[in-house]
Amino acid sequence: MSEFKCHHCRESLQGKKYVQKDNFNYCVTCFDAHCANICVECNKPIGADSKEVCYKERFWHNTCFKCSKCLQPLATETFVVWDNKILCNNCVSQQAFPKCKGCLKDIKQGEQSVEYKGTIWHKDCFVCSNCKEVIGTKTFFPKDEGFYCVACYDILFTKYCVKCNKPITSGGVSYQDQPWHSECFVCVNCSKELSEQRFTVMDDKIFLRGLLQELYSQEVCWVQEPHHWVW
């Protein structure tokens, strides 16, 4: 009969506690020192007297196997792997569902939502910053930190040309604190656009600079540098 010895130190195991691994027998001391799996959480050996949790060829002490977010022990609980992390069911639901910017509650699967520049709302939480009516998926205009329905944006922010009284949606000229379309801000004589030109003013009429001198043999009231803005 062959001797019953530790595969590593060759000490007899007769009447002693031992551990079997890979078809070899080890005394407890040799197993802990040379054969124990290393816990991925604490990086310490999982000794013969410790309970072990194994998942996909990774090992933990049962006391180290916890939710990576709330630290709830999971050795005897169900768990989920999310983004390579071990999570309890409660924490994975918080990870899986984004938070609504409006009500701060989860936006769960199947719920209608609105997303803008990486931020997400429930459809009914996405409201006009002025009238508080639900915008939902309708057209809106962002302004500073707010969002506005078409009607409120038009009332609060749209500028109207003093010449044609139509809204200025892009590009414009500001003269004497009044807005103009670029194509409406023209010389009264030759109709050339003046937004990028120097001009002269006489009797509240605007002329291309130099043209007034040709038309009238008198001094002009003043010379105005180009002054324009763009929305």
Side-chain angles (χ1 to χ4, degrees):
M1 183 175 180
S2 60
E3 293 183 281
F4 187 46
K5 295 181 178 180
C6 171
H7 181 70
H8 185 79
C9 69
R10 310 307 297 169
E11 290 289 330
S12 173
L13 297 176
Q14 195 67 38
K16 296 180 180 179
K17 184 176 180 180
Y18 68 95
V19 181
Q20 190 176 67
K21 184 176 182 179
D22 299 331
N23 295 322
F24 295 108
N25 299 317
Y26 299 89
C27 67
V28 172
T29 300
C30 288
F31 177 85
D32 288 352
H34 305 288
C35 303
N37 293 313
I38 303 299
C39 175
V40 298
E41 179 65 25
C42 68
N43 293 318
K44 295 180 180 179
I46 304 174
D49 293 328
S50 300
K51 292 182 179 181
E52 182 180 80
V53 175
C54 175
Y55 176 72
K56 290 190 174 182
E57 299 183 356
R58 300 168 70 196
F59 302 90
W60 291 260
H61 293 99
N62 72 318
T63 54
C64 290
F65 192 67
K66 301 176 181 180
C67 172
S68 61
K69 188 173 183 181
C70 71
L71 302 182
Q72 174 189 342
L74 295 177
T76 59
E77 305 291 334
T78 58
F79 63 90
V80 178
V81 179
W82 180 271
D83 195 22
N84 207 34
K85 295 179 181 179
I86 305 296
L87 297 172
C88 65
N89 290 331
N90 182 54
C91 287
V92 79
S93 67
Q94 297 177 25
Q95 290 285 111
F97 301 119
K99 297 288 185 183
C100 172
K101 178 72 172 179
C103 67
L104 303 181
K105 295 180 180 179
D106 292 342
I107 300 177
K108 297 182 179 179
Q109 188 173 2
E111 291 184 319
Q112 291 185 306
S113 61
V114 176
E115 185 173 356
Y116 179 73
K117 290 188 175 181
T119 306
I120 191 167
W121 292 260
H122 288 108
K123 179 183 176 182
D124 292 339
C125 292
F126 191 63
V127 300
C128 174
S129 299
N130 184 57
C131 69
K132 307 305 179 184
E133 289 293 320
V134 174
I135 296 174
T137 56
K138 294 182 291 187
T139 301
F140 68 91
F141 293 94
K143 178 72 173 179
D144 299 326
E145 298 299 319
F147 302 94
Y148 299 87
C149 65
V150 175
C152 286
Y153 187 87
D154 187 48
I155 293 171
L156 296 174
F157 304 112
T158 299
K159 296 182 183 295
Y160 289 83
C161 176
V162 297
K163 182 176 181 179
C164 68
N165 202 35
K166 293 180 180 179
I168 303 173
T169 56
S170 64
V173 176
S174 177
Y175 173 63
Q176 293 186 341
D177 295 325
Q178 291 184 315
W180 305 64
H181 289 109
S182 295
E183 60 270 23
C184 291
F185 192 67
V186 298
C187 173
V188 296
N189 185 69
C190 67
S191 298
K192 184 174 182 178
E193 291 187 19
L194 300 176
S195 59
E196 300 293 339
Q197 305 291 329
R198 298 181 68 185
F199 56 87
T200 58
V201 179
M202 183 175 180
D203 297 331
D204 293 327
K205 294 180 181 180
I206 305 172
F207 296 84
L208 183 66
R209 187 181 182 189
L211 182 59
L212 188 61
Q213 289 92 326
E214 297 176 10
L215 296 174
Y216 302 98
S217 57
Q218 60 185 58
E219 291 187 1
V220 297
C221 294
W222 63 82
V223 177
Q224 186 73 32
E225 296 291 341
H227 180 49
H228 64 282
W229 38 256
V230 177
W231 291 278

